[in-house]
Amino acid sequence: MKISIVIVNYNVEYFLEQCLISVFKSLKGIEGEVFVVDNNSVDNSLLMLKQKFPQVKLIENKENLGFSKANNQAIKQCVGEYVLLLNPDTVVEEMTFRKVIDFMDATPDAGAVGVKMLDGKGNFLPESKRSLPTPEVSFYKIFGLSKLFPKSKKFGKYHLSYLDKNKIHEVDVLSGAFMFIRREVLEKIGLLDETFFMYGEDIDLSYRILKAGYKNYYFPETRIIHYKGESTKKSSANYVFVFYNAMIIFAKKHYSSGKQKAFIGIIKFAIWFRAALALLVRFFKKIYVPVLDFLVLGLGLIYIGNLWQSHVSGEIPPMLFKLGITAYILVWMSSVFLNGGYDKPTNLWKIIKGVLIGSGIILIAYSLLPESYRFSRAIILLGTLWTIIWFLASRFIFHKIKLDGMIFKGSQRKRALIIGDDEEIKRVNLILKKSNTELGYTHFLLFENDDKKNAEHYYLSKISEIVNIHKINEIIFCAKNITSYEIINIMSQINSKHIEFKIAPPESLFVIGSKDISHAESYYMYDVNNIGKYENVRRKRVFDFFMSFLFLLLSPILIFIMKSPLGFLRNNFHVLFGCKTFVGYGHMSNTEYMLPKIKKGILTPADITRKAIDNDETIANFNVMYARDYSVWRDFQIIFYNIRNLGKK
């Protein structure tokens, strides 16, 4: 057997399916085997594999064993002359395996080879070729010198950015996303080091290949798409700790004591520096708009209040004035938040509604206060006007400068181009319509690839023309009609930061997107996105918090009607602190949808019937309908009908 392919999967069902479709196309005419090691995924990965890819050799783990250990499980069973470690969030070209096999067969000193990797927008991924992370190289990378001077042989060593990305090179380190290795090399140097749970294992393996006298090659004559979920994780402190601790493990294993101390010193400094920076950046991104709103609203209300005092009402006690203004602003901002006014993209009606509801709450509270604590209603009304003016004016400015995604809702609707045959175009268009996607315009391009020699040039020029004329911002390829090679070619040549690329695998209910594997908008799903929307996540949490608080207040009465009083109290505290939700999915072992994740529920959507249901298919249907048509009112109905059961486990 020529090749054994090993893929480790963890909760990326849709990406895995697309990856396997491309893998089996590339394996055509090659004797090979494919292993998928599933690290206890909770989506429908296993069901999808068994139904659609029965030829895959599946290893089901009952816990997440990490990347290295999972790969080793499959490698021990491999019989191919070559072993390929492949990420599930990749798409390979039809000739990828043939080309790398031919290269390895013709290059006996090659221990392993990596290929040219592109992200989901057609951009070259610099980690396709890397140098060993020595103290010097790591210092240049950590402190940004490699980015400032990418063409420098001294500063650009980390990603070897001074080397031509379109030529074959000997390199130190290959990416674990696509690592094509001789099995005899693995038998000689050993398998992946299981000390590395995630990150660093590819660096360690690459280095051991070099130490054994073989060479690692960067081979750009074939390409893959790597969606690369790391792109969003790198802004998190958790990623910083995991990644840099992996570097420390590598240093302790391979470097001498002097070099090791220098490297570990740099890494430890980098961990705390980058982690603190990541936390500060994320914190600032979350609070800078609300803080600006609070300050500007406060200045405006102080001016209005002072103007009113000097011309109409006389002096208001300073402390009362300050507390009153602070309370008003907090109520207005909280109401705007709860009504979705801080969601992205910006919805102006939600902001206005939030301010008006907040003003109503303030006026009701005002009327209940003792006379001595009141000051003029006019300040509330003028404050309402100022709050609306500020929110509208600031959001208009944010929209114009496109500040952190704060554009007006509907202003950047998708203008999609779907490329495929007539049948596939209709199928994909239906998925878009059923996925709650806001489409402003859809154009179709029939792809008839009869003349292979001229088709690519023709369609590239045609697509460019359509994109320019119709202001297209999203291109969707029907993978049934267009090869991975053609898709990657078009992506890399159009290569615009304003265009999203998506791929629709044949006979699937989803479309894979070009952002990253951890982003909710990376794919379109057929009709079950409602409960996963940010505003519904917030509404569900607010409803849970309010109801649990209310139930705890009324618990001296309610415990007498509960089937399990202690369980009722325990569950309410779990919901109050966000460990559970009142209504969650019913347990099921079979459904064709991967539902948006929510907390474990006390009750289930099937409880609306008030009858015991143990049929998997019925429970699954209730779950899908609940996810698709979620509303707070539905949660209230389920709780109302089953209030005596709120103590169940």
Side-chain angles (χ1 to χ4, degrees):
M1 187 173 288
K2 200 68 179 175
I3 180 174
S4 298
I5 299 164
V6 179
I7 302 170
V8 176
N9 175 66
Y10 182 64
N11 291 328
V12 286
E13 174 196 351
Y14 298 141
F15 289 89
L16 175 63
E17 181 177 339
Q18 182 177 253
C19 173
L20 287 170
I21 290 170
S22 72
V23 161
F24 284 110
K25 283 182 181 179
S26 193
L27 269 177
K28 193 173 181 180
I30 301 171
E31 190 182 2
E33 59 182 353
V34 179
F35 289 87
V36 173
V37 186
D38 186 80
N39 265 339
N40 197 29
S41 295
V42 293
D43 61 5
N44 288 318
S45 294
L46 294 175
L47 180 65
M48 180 274 294
L49 284 166
K50 291 170 184 176
Q51 288 181 345
K52 296 189 176 183
F53 302 98
Q55 70 272 45
V56 163
K57 296 179 179 180
L58 177 60
I59 298 173
E60 300 180 44
N61 289 328
K62 300 304 179 187
E63 59 180 308
N64 186 354
L65 299 178
F67 186 77
S68 297
K69 190 173 285 189
N71 269 300
N72 288 345
Q73 286 177 293
I75 294 171
K76 289 171 185 176
Q77 300 179 33
C78 290
V79 296
E81 181 183 343
Y82 298 108
V83 174
L84 171 64
L85 307 184
L86 184 68
N87 269 26
D89 56 336
T90 57
V91 176
V92 301
E93 292 179 340
E94 285 73 14
M95 291 300 292
T96 291
F97 298 156
R98 173 53 58 201
K99 286 182 176 180
V100 291
I101 287 171
D102 288 347
F103 175 78
M104 291 289 276
D105 285 348
T107 316
D109 65 347
V113 65
V115 298
K116 186 178 186 180
M117 298 192 297
L118 307 178
D119 67 13
K121 292 173 80 73
N123 302 307
F124 174 70
L125 287 172
E127 55 267 40
S128 301
K129 49 184 174 62
R130 283 180 290 173
S131 161
L132 284 171
T134 62
E136 178 190 13
V137 170
S138 301
F139 180 87
Y140 298 148
K141 170 71 169 67
I142 289 164
F143 294 99
L145 292 172
S146 58
K147 258 189 181 176
L148 287 173
F149 308 103
K151 298 302 178 185
S152 165
K153 289 188 177 181
K154 183 178 181 66
F155 299 124
K157 280 185 179 178
Y158 188 83
H159 285 131
L160 300 171
S161 46
Y162 54 86
L163 295 178
D164 189 338
K165 64 185 178 184
N166 296 315
K167 291 183 179 178
I168 298 171
H169 298 286
E170 289 181 30
V171 296
D172 293 336
V173 176
L174 301 174
S175 170
F178 185 104
M179 204 167 182
F180 196 85
I181 315 162
R182 292 187 196 276
R183 188 158 62 91
E184 66 180 52
V185 172
L186 288 171
E187 289 169 355
K188 183 176 179 180
I189 68 172
L191 305 186
L192 280 73
D193 187 339
E194 296 179 6
T195 312
F196 297 92
F197 184 84
M198 184 183 293
Y199 309 123
E201 68 289 317
D202 50 358
I203 300 174
D204 174 73
L205 189 59
S206 296
Y207 187 45
R208 285 191 282 130
I209 291 171
L210 294 178
K211 286 171 72 176
Y214 295 92
K215 293 178 180 177
N216 295 320
Y217 283 92
Y218 164 69
F219 180 72
E221 293 179 13
T222 186
R223 302 155 300 179
I224 69 168
I225 299 172
H226 181 203
Y227 286 104
K228 201 169 178 291
E230 292 176 16
S231 59
T232 50
K233 296 177 189 173
K234 284 185 178 179
S235 62
S236 72
N238 182 60
Y239 168 82
V240 172
F241 280 108
V242 174
F243 179 77
Y244 286 113
N245 273 315
M247 294 301 96
I248 290 176
I249 294 169
F250 177 82
K252 287 180 176 177
K253 180 176 179 179
H254 293 293
Y255 291 156
S256 60
S257 58
K259 207 172 185 181
Q260 184 186 118
K261 285 179 182 176
F263 185 87
I264 291 174
I266 292 170
I267 292 297
K268 284 186 174 178
F269 176 78
I271 286 175
W272 293 108
F273 175 75
R274 295 289 289 269
L277 188 63
L279 289 170
L280 283 172
V281 168
R282 293 185 75 191
F283 179 71
F284 179 74
K285 277 188 172 183
K286 284 184 180 295
I287 69 157
Y288 75 95
V289 171
V291 167
L292 179 64
D293 288 340
F294 185 88
L295 292 175
V296 175
L297 291 177
L299 290 172
L301 282 173
I302 289 170
Y303 178 76
I304 290 167
N306 289 336
L307 204 63
W308 190 262
Q309 289 178 74
S310 59
H311 290 87
V312 181
S313 68
E315 188 175 355
I316 300 167
M319 184 57 69
L320 178 62
F321 182 60
K322 290 175 184 176
L323 289 174
I325 283 176
T326 303
Y328 294 167
I329 295 170
L330 291 175
V331 170
W332 278 319
M333 289 180 62
S334 299
S335 181
V336 168
F337 171 76
L338 292 173
N339 279 278
Y342 281 97
D343 293 351
K344 299 173 188 177
T346 303
N347 188 317
L348 294 180
W349 166 240
K350 288 181 178 180
I351 291 174
I352 294 170
K353 185 171 73 172
V355 174
L356 294 177
I357 290 173
S359 296
I361 293 169
I362 292 169
L363 287 169
I364 292 169
Y366 178 90
S367 66
L368 298 174
L369 288 172
E371 190 70 35
S372 58
Y373 288 100
R374 300 182 196 176
F375 49 89
S376 177
R377 283 188 179 88
I379 294 177
I380 299 173
L381 298 176
L382 289 170
T384 300
L385 181 61
W386 164 240
T387 302
I388 291 173
I389 290 171
W390 163 250
F391 269 113
L392 296 184
S394 62
R395 271 46 182 183
F396 181 78
I397 294 169
F398 296 161
H399 168 77
K400 282 295 182 184
I401 64 175
K402 293 181 171 59
L403 181 69
D404 196 25
M406 296 185 71
I407 55 173
F408 292 150
K409 188 174 178 65
S411 64
Q412 281 198 337
R413 289 188 174 184
K414 301 290 184 185
R415 297 181 65 84
L417 170 64
I418 306 175
I419 307 172
D421 67 16
D422 187 57
E423 185 181 338
E424 278 295 281
I425 284 174
K426 287 177 182 175
R427 186 183 70 83
V428 172
N429 194 36
L430 181 63
I431 293 174
L432 297 185
K433 288 178 179 177
K434 291 287 186 179
S435 65
N436 297 320
T437 304
E438 289 190 10
L439 286 171
Y441 175 79
T442 309
H443 192 90
F444 310 116
L445 178 60
L446 288 174
F447 191 89
E448 298 170 354
N449 199 356
D450 296 328
D451 184 355
K452 293 283 183 182
K453 188 175 180 181
N454 299 316
E456 188 184 320
H457 174 74
Y458 169 76
Y459 280 102
L460 184 60
S461 61
K462 194 83 171 172
I463 291 166
S464 300
E465 187 180 342
I466 292 170
V467 166
N468 292 330
I469 292 172
H470 298 284
K471 296 181 171 56
I472 297 297
N473 55 28
E474 183 161 287
I475 297 176
I476 301 173
F477 301 100
C478 298
K480 184 178 180 179
N481 314 122
I482 311 172
T483 66
S484 299
Y485 173 81
E486 289 160 340
I487 291 171
I488 294 171
N489 247 14
I490 292 169
M491 286 170 57
S492 59
Q493 291 187 53
I494 289 180
N495 193 250
S496 169
K497 65 179 180 180
H498 304 296
I499 296 176
E500 298 290 333
F501 296 100
K502 288 185 168 64
I503 302 174
E507 300 176 7
S508 294
L509 296 175
F510 61 89
V511 179
I512 292 292
S514 61
K515 291 192 177 178
D516 55 74
I517 65 173
S518 52
H519 198 290
E521 293 179 7
S522 289
Y523 49 80
Y524 297 141
M525 288 170 52
Y526 191 93
D527 206 22
V528 281
N529 291 321
N530 192 37
I531 200 170
K533 287 183 177 178
Y534 178 77
E535 57 264 35
N536 282 332
V537 172
R538 184 187 60 247
R539 285 172 189 149
K540 187 171 178 61
R541 178 65 192 128
V542 170
F543 174 78
D544 279 346
F545 182 87
F546 174 78
M547 291 302 294
S548 60
F549 187 75
L550 181 64
F551 284 151
L552 287 170
L553 284 178
L554 299 175
S555 59
I557 300 168
L558 292 176
I559 57 173
F560 292 104
I561 66 169
M562 294 295 158
K563 290 182 179 179
S564 173
L566 289 177
F568 168 70
L569 293 173
R570 180 187 63 245
N571 284 342
N572 270 285
F573 278 112
H574 283 160
V575 174
L576 186 70
F577 293 111
C579 302
K580 285 185 179 180
T581 182
F582 278 114
V583 182
Y585 301 134
H587 176 73
M588 56 185 175
S589 58
N590 184 11
T591 176
E592 63 178 294
Y593 297 102
M594 182 181 77
L595 301 176
K597 290 182 176 62
I598 56 176
K599 299 283 186 184
K600 183 181 178 182
I602 298 164
L603 303 172
T604 75
D607 288 332
I608 193 76
T609 64
R610 290 188 277 190
K611 294 179 181 178
I613 296 175
D614 56 8
N615 181 278
D616 271 0
E617 189 174 347
T618 304
I619 293 170
N621 287 334
F622 270 107
N623 289 343
V624 170
M625 287 189 290
Y626 178 74
R628 184 188 63 203
D629 304 319
Y630 172 76
S631 69
V632 168
W633 174 243
R634 177 51 60 99
D635 275 3
F636 182 80
Q637 286 179 304
I638 294 169
I639 292 170
F640 180 77
Y641 291 142
N642 295 274
I643 193 166
R644 295 189 66 222
N645 296 318
L646 288 177
K648 71 177 185 178
K649 289 184 179 179

